[in-house]
Amino acid sequence: MNFLRGVMGGPSAGPQPSGAETIQKLCDRVASSTLLDDRRDAVRALKSLSKKYRLEVGIQAMEHLIHVLQTDRSDSEIIGYALDTLYNVISNDLEEEEQEENLPKQVDDLGSQFTEIFIKQQENVTLLLTLVEEFDFHVRWPGVKLLTSLLKQQGPQVQQIILVSPMGVSRLMDLLADSREVIRNDGVLLLQQLTKSNAAIQKIVAFENAFERLLDIVTEEGNSDGGIVVEDCLLLLQNLLKNNNSNQNFFKEGSYIQRMKPWFEVGDDNCGWSAQKVTNLHLMLQLVRVLVSPTNPPGATSSCQKAMFHCGLLQQLCTILMATGVPADILTETINTVSEVIRGCQMNQDYFASVNAPSNPPRPAIVVLLMSMVNERQPFVLRCAVLYCFQCFLYKNQKGQGEIVSTLLPSTIDATGNSVSAGQLLCGGLFSTDSLSNWCAAVALAHALQENATLKEQLLRVQLATSIGNPPVSLLQQCTNILSQGDKIDRRGSKVQTRVGLLMLLCTWLSNCSIAVTHFLHNPANIPFLTGQIAENLGEEEQLVQGLCALLLGISIYYNDNSLENYRKEKLKQLIEKRIGRENFIEKLGFISKHELYSRAAQKPQPSFSSPDHMMFDHEFTKLVKELEGVISKAIYKSSEEDKKEEEVKKTLEQHDNIVTHYKKVIREQDQELEELKQRINTLTSQNEQLQATVTQQVSQIQQHKDQYNLLKVQLGKDAQHHNSHSETFQMNGIQMEEASKLKEELEEWKNKHELLQGQLREKDSVIEKLKSSQLEMGTTEQSLQTSKSGGLEHNNELQKELEMLRSQIQLQSAEISKLQIENQKLQVMNTTADPVLGDSGAAAANNSELEGRLEQEVKELKSEVKALSEEKESLKQHLDSSSSTVAILQDEKSKLQQEVAESKKEQDDLLVLLADQDQKLSALKIKLKDLGVPVEDEDDIESGDQGDEDEDGDEEEQD
């Protein structure tokens, strides 16, 4: 009836349904309607009511909406309405007109509770990840917003569900590649929430090529001139890189640091600095600092620092540093960034020292920055940044420390006064009436002396002119004078701050420098001032000064070399016992480490203070306190006898250290000698292997030569018999007689060559005798070397054993030489008994070739052994210099013998060619004789003996 009244336009009777009732009806329609259009209209109505009736929709409709997401995925419109409704229920982003003062807490609770209900079933999050993959804008965009809201409410739980979901992170990475900027930008916001405080997801996102995509987006949007999208991308990059060493290394190895350089090309016209540009550039600088943070592993930081120098990023930052018109907060952050880029990197520190400000005349950037630090009109955060920059410049930079201190020394101060040096600025700040300048200058000067005993001694030479007519005083004396008169001088700021700064400087200066301690104790007013300060009962502010005075007095005792009779260690301890009391002294010393500001300063190197009054301690000084507090406490309780014993122990330890150092040096030298000997043994072993291979090759060649010799001998024998059997036939024809005379001439030539080869053999026999005599001389030299080195090091015994092995090898080779000589004599006897014509020359030539081969082998072996012996003798402190000349002679002899062997081989080849020609000629003659009708016998008939003769007689009878 109500429906009919509404249609007919009549007034509706009864009360209107409440919001909860309406929502209940809509939920029923979503659950029970079979038509898709009805369900879609019901979900659309729930969406319109979800902002006003958030609680009711969340309680009654969430289950039905999730069911719609599961069953109606084919219709993108109803899925989009359902996702929007869930987003309105879960998200805390209310419209401005709906926000009231008493609602925020209740709103936060609602969003968190509904998120917890939604993610209780992990399948819901997995379903949402699947929907985000849909390309339809009306599905993908609400899904991204809903997932982002879930991560904001219950981040760790949702992160874990996505992490265990198959390809969960990879699905979300596809959002960055979406061509629709709205989805891409919201995808960046989603990844921001996803990567918060979860290293595992950060690594997955990084390895899914996130760096490349995000840097491309920043470039497309205009780098620092871009809008809020650039800011979101930079925040996401910070999430991925901060405290994640793996991603930092991946970022560096991927050459992404080089792509950061264009971010800082701000140009010469710096007048247009919008608020968004300032924000973007601030985030970009912070991103650089993330890569070179002192809390990162030193190796990773160093590699990033070098990469930033090589790609020109550091140079670009220094350009911004020296530019004009840069906003103060950007300039401050740039100084902090440059500080960490150069911290502990010598190459970057040297470059920064060479940077000049664009002024006339040009001034070093360090000087310009120090002028800002000691200028009390500059902002406090800027002065802190400059101090941090100066500290980073001097960190592990002894060269830079020396340059700063040298500007204070009398020989290097500019007498004309045209230019202001860093040392003059530090002294000016140290003695100004501004307490903050006093503190900054004292800390900066302390860093110039950090862990550098040489500069601490040189700084004692610095003299200051206090006023006209008065003699100059040392810098150390002036510091103590200001310290003792601190309350009398009218200063701007905290008086405690000035005294704390000076005491930190004095403690750093005197620590580990006995000469500085002596100069400090030489002033008779210093010790009474310190004891007076420690003994008084002062307020809480002065307790810090008392603790630092106790530390300075303890350093004066611990590093005291007892050179001043009135201020020996024992007397100072007695003074503490009488005036202060040991327990009271230790209690005052403990005031330092118990102070709240001390704990803050010890956390990180960068000086970050909320106000100038909190600027009390330096990070490096807190390390010094930790190092000295314990040893000073022990030194105060030690008696004089214990001090004497300790000094004796120190002297004994120094002696032991010297002895140990000496033995270490000896062992190091012996190790070097042993390494050299091992290398030589390795070379000798390789040479030996090469020689053995050569010997094997030569043995095979000799065998081949023997075989060739036997073949030639048989061939020459057959040719001689054939020549005798046909001598009468040759006389029957004039042509054959001429050829026979030519053969005789050739045989005469071979005889002459044979005589020459015999002469060469005799010369080489004399060379072998010389080698034997040199071998005997070397043997006697080795015996004398062995006797002179009998008391040497144990590792030389191995070399001597190897020499014995070489001697035995040489003896075997000498026996082999004698065998070769016997064979040579036998071959000479065979030569005399051989055929006087062809047989003599052929056998001699073959004999010579064999002897030449063996002689070459033996000479090479002897040469290699002599060379090995000479190298071994040189390793034994080069007592056998004469062996080097012998080796050179043997090398010349070897080259000569190699040439002779080559010539003999060439001659042998010529002989083989000649024999082949002779065979061809003989066969040609046989053919001619047959053509002339003269019977010719074959070689087989000659070998058959008498049977061949009978056949020949038969042939002659037939011819007759």
Side-chain angles (χ1 to χ4, degrees):
M1 296 297 292
N2 290 335
F3 176 75
L4 292 175
R5 291 194 188 95
V7 173
M8 298 299 293
S12 59
Q16 294 290 330
S18 63
E21 293 174 353
T22 306
I23 292 168
Q24 182 62 44
K25 291 179 181 179
L26 292 173
C27 290
D28 292 340
R29 283 179 62 189
V30 172
S32 60
S33 294
T34 56
L35 293 177
L36 179 62
D37 292 339
D38 291 344
R39 294 199 301 275
R40 186 189 304 119
D41 294 339
V43 174
R44 185 191 296 114
L46 287 173
K47 174 190 171 184
S48 62
L49 295 172
S50 58
K51 291 184 179 180
K52 185 175 182 181
Y53 298 100
R54 179 182 178 189
L55 178 62
E56 291 81 359
V57 173
I59 293 173
Q60 299 181 36
M62 180 175 288
E63 184 178 351
H64 301 293
L65 293 172
I66 294 173
H67 183 71
V68 167
L69 296 178
Q70 294 171 346
T71 57
D72 292 330
R73 289 184 59 184
S74 59
D75 185 72
S76 60
E77 191 175 358
I78 191 173
I79 295 293
Y81 291 148
L83 290 172
D84 284 333
T85 307
L86 287 171
Y87 173 75
N88 292 336
V89 169
I90 291 174
S91 175
N92 290 327
D93 300 333
L94 298 177
E95 298 294 334
E96 292 183 2
E97 62 270 11
E98 295 178 1
Q99 291 183 357
E100 298 180 7
E101 295 180 359
N102 58 346
L103 284 182
K105 187 175 181 181
Q106 181 184 358
V107 164
D108 291 342
D109 292 341
L110 277 178
S112 179
Q113 290 171 7
F114 286 137
T115 301
E116 191 171 351
I117 294 170
F118 184 84
I119 67 174
K120 192 172 184 180
Q121 298 293 329
Q122 295 188 7
E123 294 81 5
N124 296 338
V125 180
T126 308
L127 174 63
L128 189 55
L129 290 173
T130 308
L131 293 173
V132 168
E133 284 186 292
E134 296 288 338
F135 185 74
D136 193 305
F137 181 81
H138 297 289
V139 176
R140 196 171 205 181
W141 188 39
V144 170
K145 292 194 296 181
L146 176 57
L147 192 54
T148 306
S149 182
L150 292 174
L151 285 164
K152 285 181 180 178
Q153 301 295 338
Q154 298 287 340
Q157 293 87 338
V158 180
Q159 285 174 343
Q160 194 61 32
I161 296 172
I162 295 175
L163 191 59
V164 299
S165 175
M167 300 293 291
V169 180
S170 301
R171 296 176 187 177
L172 300 179
M173 284 300 300
D174 294 338
L175 297 172
L176 295 181
D178 199 304
S179 58
R180 295 160 294 192
E181 289 190 3
V182 177
I183 295 179
R184 184 199 67 183
N185 298 344
D186 282 350
V188 173
L189 296 175
L190 170 61
L191 291 173
Q192 276 185 29
Q193 299 297 327
L194 182 65
T195 55
K196 277 185 178 180
S197 307
N198 193 308
I201 293 180
Q202 290 168 3
K203 291 178 183 178
I204 296 173
V205 171
F207 282 98
E208 288 284 344
N209 207 22
F211 293 137
E212 183 77 27
R213 296 182 185 181
L214 291 172
L215 292 175
D216 287 342
I217 295 173
V218 171
T219 305
E220 290 170 6
E221 295 291 328
N223 294 328
S224 59
D225 293 324
I228 196 170
V229 179
V230 173
E231 178 183 348
D232 294 336
C233 290
L234 293 172
L235 289 172
L236 177 54
L237 285 171
Q238 281 192 21
N239 284 354
L240 295 175
L241 293 173
K242 196 169 186 179
N243 300 323
N244 194 317
N245 299 328
S246 174
N247 283 0
Q248 290 173 8
N249 186 56
F250 182 69
F251 191 85
K252 177 185 70 68
E253 296 295 336
S255 301
Y256 296 119
I257 290 178
Q258 287 80 342
R259 296 188 59 178
M260 299 170 70
K261 181 188 174 185
W263 294 355
F264 305 101
E265 294 175 356
V266 294
D268 298 330
D269 185 14
N270 296 325
C271 56
W273 288 88
S274 63
Q276 187 61 55
K277 182 175 181 178
V278 171
T279 303
N280 291 344
L281 201 55
H282 198 273
L283 290 172
M284 290 172 177
L285 292 169
Q286 286 183 347
L287 193 61
V288 175
R289 293 184 65 184
V290 165
L291 295 171
V292 293
S293 173
T295 58
N296 293 342
T301 300
S302 176
S303 58
C304 289
Q305 288 172 333
K306 292 176 182 176
M308 290 176 184
F309 174 79
H310 290 305
C311 75
L313 180 58
L314 174 60
Q315 294 84 331
Q316 201 66 43
L317 291 174
C318 291
T319 303
I320 297 176
L321 193 67
M322 294 292 107
T324 56
V326 180
D329 52 347
I330 294 297
L331 181 60
T332 303
E333 191 64 23
T334 304
I335 295 173
N336 288 328
T337 306
V338 171
S339 306
E340 294 183 352
V341 172
I342 67 173
R343 187 177 189 268
C345 182
Q346 187 66 51
M347 178 173 59
N348 293 2
Q349 290 167 339
D350 292 342
Y351 170 77
F352 184 71
S354 65
V355 175
N356 289 323
S359 60
N360 192 13
R363 289 179 177 174
I366 298 174
V367 173
V368 176
L369 291 175
L370 287 178
M371 292 172 69
S372 301
M373 186 185 73
V374 297
N375 186 355
E376 56 185 302
R377 289 175 292 183
Q378 293 292 339
F380 172 66
V381 289
L382 179 64
R383 298 174 74 178
C384 291
V386 173
L387 175 62
Y388 184 46
C389 185
F390 191 72
Q391 291 174 352
C392 292
F393 171 69
L394 297 179
Y395 183 71
K396 294 183 179 179
N397 183 10
Q398 293 190 353
K399 179 182 176 183
Q401 289 176 325
E403 291 173 353
I404 297 298
V405 173
S406 65
T407 58
L408 288 165
L409 299 178
S411 59
T412 57
I413 293 177
D414 187 6
T416 61
N418 293 332
S419 61
V420 180
S421 66
Q424 291 172 344
L425 288 171
L426 291 176
C427 284
L430 193 62
F431 306 129
S432 72
T433 55
D434 177 32
S435 61
L436 189 59
S437 297
N438 300 153
W439 191 92
C440 291
V443 170
L445 196 55
H447 276 263
L449 304 175
Q450 199 78 35
E451 298 178 359
N452 199 326
T454 306
L455 295 182
K456 292 177 182 179
E457 296 177 7
Q458 289 185 4
L459 201 63
L460 296 171
R461 297 165 42 203
V462 176
Q463 300 290 321
L464 301 174
T466 54
S467 58
I468 301 175
N470 294 328
V473 297
S474 67
L475 178 61
L476 181 65
Q477 181 65 42
Q478 184 66 11
C479 289
T480 55
N481 291 343
I482 294 175
L483 188 62
S484 59
Q485 300 173 2
D487 294 337
K488 301 176 182 178
I489 301 174
D490 186 18
R491 297 182 184 279
R492 291 180 296 277
S494 172
K495 295 180 180 178
V496 175
Q497 194 175 46
T498 300
R499 286 189 286 172
V500 167
L502 290 171
L503 286 169
M504 285 196 298
L505 171 61
L506 291 174
C507 289
T508 306
W509 194 348
L510 268 60
S511 63
N512 204 19
C513 184
S514 300
I515 299 175
V517 171
T518 304
H519 278 72
F520 179 76
L521 295 176
H522 198 269
N523 186 352
N526 289 337
I527 296 300
F529 168 74
L530 293 179
T531 53
Q533 287 287 322
I534 299 169
E536 289 182 8
N537 291 322
L538 303 173
E540 291 184 1
E541 292 185 357
E542 298 294 335
Q543 285 182 354
L544 192 55
V545 176
Q546 286 183 319
L548 291 170
C549 289
L551 179 65
L552 183 58
L553 183 56
I555 291 172
S556 303
I557 295 173
Y558 186 71
Y559 291 105
N560 192 348
D561 58 358
N562 293 327
S563 57
L564 296 176
E565 185 63 30
N566 294 333
Y567 296 103
R568 297 175 64 85
K569 286 184 179 182
E570 188 59 32
K571 291 187 177 181
L572 291 176
K573 289 180 187 178
Q574 292 175 0
L575 182 64
I576 289 174
E577 180 68 25
K578 293 178 182 178
R579 295 284 305 275
I580 305 169
R582 292 179 181 177
E583 289 77 9
N584 192 22
F585 178 86
I586 299 299
E587 182 184 357
K588 298 293 177 68
L589 184 62
F591 285 165
I592 303 174
S593 57
K594 293 177 182 177
H595 202 280
E596 180 185 0
L597 298 177
Y598 174 89
S599 303
R600 291 182 186 176
Q603 292 175 359
K604 58 181 181 178
Q606 182 182 0
S608 55
F609 307 101
S610 56
S611 67
D613 294 336
H614 294 163
M615 206 171 190
M616 289 295 176
F617 285 109
D618 172 58
H619 178 75
E620 293 296 326
F621 181 73
T622 60
K623 296 181 181 179
L624 181 67
V625 173
K626 289 178 183 178
E627 179 184 348
L628 295 178
E629 188 175 7
V631 295
I632 290 174
S633 301
K634 291 179 182 178
I636 295 298
Y637 282 102
K638 285 181 182 177
S639 62
S640 58
E641 295 179 356
E642 290 177 346
D643 285 337
K644 290 179 181 178
K645 289 180 181 179
E646 186 178 353
E647 289 179 1
E648 291 176 359
V649 169
K650 284 183 180 179
K651 291 179 181 178
T652 310
L653 288 175
E654 289 177 359
Q655 293 176 357
H656 284 303
D657 289 341
N658 294 333
I659 294 171
V660 168
T661 306
H662 173 69
Y663 278 113
K664 282 182 179 178
K665 186 178 179 182
V666 172
I667 291 170
R668 197 177 296 112
E669 292 174 355
Q670 290 179 351
D671 286 341
Q672 291 177 356
E673 292 179 2
L674 187 60
E675 287 297 326
E676 292 176 0
L677 292 174
K678 284 181 179 178
Q679 291 177 0
R680 289 180 181 177
I681 287 171
N682 291 333
T683 8
L684 288 174
T685 307
S686 61
Q687 288 178 1
N688 187 20
E689 292 175 355
Q690 292 176 0
L691 290 173
Q692 286 179 355
T694 308
V695 166
T696 309
Q697 186 179 359
Q698 289 178 353
V699 166
S700 63
Q701 289 179 357
I702 289 170
Q703 188 63 39
Q704 291 177 1
H705 291 164
K706 283 182 179 180
D707 298 339
Q708 290 177 2
Y709 167 72
N710 293 330
L711 290 172
L712 289 172
K713 189 174 181 181
V714 173
Q715 249 180 356
L716 289 173
K718 291 179 181 179
D719 292 340
Q721 291 177 2
H722 186 68
H723 176 72
N724 291 333
S725 63
H726 292 281
S727 59
E728 294 180 358
T729 307
F730 290 154
Q731 293 175 0
M732 293 174 65
N733 195 320
I735 298 173
Q736 289 105 356
M737 292 299 294
E738 290 177 1
E739 291 179 355
S741 63
K742 288 181 181 178
L743 289 174
K744 286 181 181 179
E745 289 176 2
E746 290 176 358
L747 289 175
E748 290 296 330
E749 290 179 3
W750 281 113
K751 285 181 180 180
N752 295 332
K753 290 181 181 179
H754 174 63
E755 291 176 359
L756 288 173
L757 288 173
Q758 283 183 342
Q760 292 176 1
L761 282 174
R762 287 192 293 272
E763 290 177 1
K764 287 165 184 175
D765 288 338
S766 63
V767 170
I768 290 172
E769 293 297 330
K770 288 179 183 178
L771 289 173
K772 281 186 177 180
S773 61
S774 64
Q775 175 186 346
L776 294 173
E777 290 176 2
M778 287 157 60
T780 55
T781 310
E782 290 164 5
Q783 290 176 358
S784 61
L785 177 63
Q786 185 176 1
T787 54
S788 63
K789 282 297 191 175
S790 60
L793 299 174
E794 292 181 1
H795 65 270
N796 291 334
N797 293 333
E798 296 179 1
L799 296 176
Q800 291 176 358
K801 291 178 182 178
E802 191 154 345
L803 288 176
E804 291 295 333
M805 292 171 64
L806 292 173
R807 287 196 201 98
S808 63
Q809 290 179 6
I810 291 172
Q811 290 175 0
L812 293 173
Q813 291 169 357
S814 61
E816 184 70 15
I817 290 170
S818 62
K819 289 180 182 178
L820 288 173
Q821 287 178 345
I822 295 169
E823 290 182 4
N824 187 14
Q825 292 174 1
K826 289 179 181 179
L827 289 172
Q828 287 177 356
V829 172
M830 291 173 64
N831 286 335
T832 56
T833 59
D835 189 286
V837 186
L838 289 173
D840 289 350
S841 59
N847 230 354
N848 291 337
S849 64
E850 181 178 358
L851 288 173
E852 288 292 335
R854 287 180 177 274
L855 186 59
E856 180 189 2
Q857 175 187 358
E858 295 300 326
V859 168
K860 284 184 177 179
E861 290 178 354
L862 288 172
K863 171 64 183 63
S864 63
E865 299 300 333
V866 169
K867 185 177 179 181
L869 288 172
S870 63
E871 290 179 356
E872 292 298 327
K873 291 178 184 62
E874 285 175 359
S875 69
L876 298 172
K877 301 192 177 175
Q878 300 180 351
H879 287 287
L880 297 176
D881 296 336
S882 61
S883 61
S884 61
S885 61
T886 306
V887 170
I889 293 169
L890 289 174
Q891 286 177 347
D892 296 336
E893 190 65 28
K894 176 185 173 182
S895 60
K896 290 178 182 178
L897 291 175
Q898 286 176 345
Q899 292 177 359
E900 292 174 1
V901 169
E903 291 174 0
S904 65
K905 285 183 178 180
K906 185 178 179 183
E907 291 174 0
Q908 183 181 358
D909 294 337
D910 294 339
L911 179 59
L912 291 172
V913 173
L914 180 60
L915 290 172
D917 293 340
Q918 185 179 0
D919 288 339
Q920 291 177 358
K921 289 178 181 178
L922 288 173
S923 60
L925 288 172
K926 288 178 184 179
I927 294 168
K928 288 180 181 179
L929 288 173
K930 287 180 180 179
D931 294 340
L932 293 171
V934 179
V936 180
E937 297 178 357
D938 294 331
E939 292 180 359
D940 295 336
D941 298 336
I942 294 173
E943 291 177 358
S944 62
D946 297 336
Q947 183 68 31
D949 294 336
E950 292 175 359
D951 295 337
E952 185 179 359
D953 294 339
D955 293 337
E956 289 177 356
E957 290 175 359
E958 290 176 359
Q959 289 177 1
D960 292 339

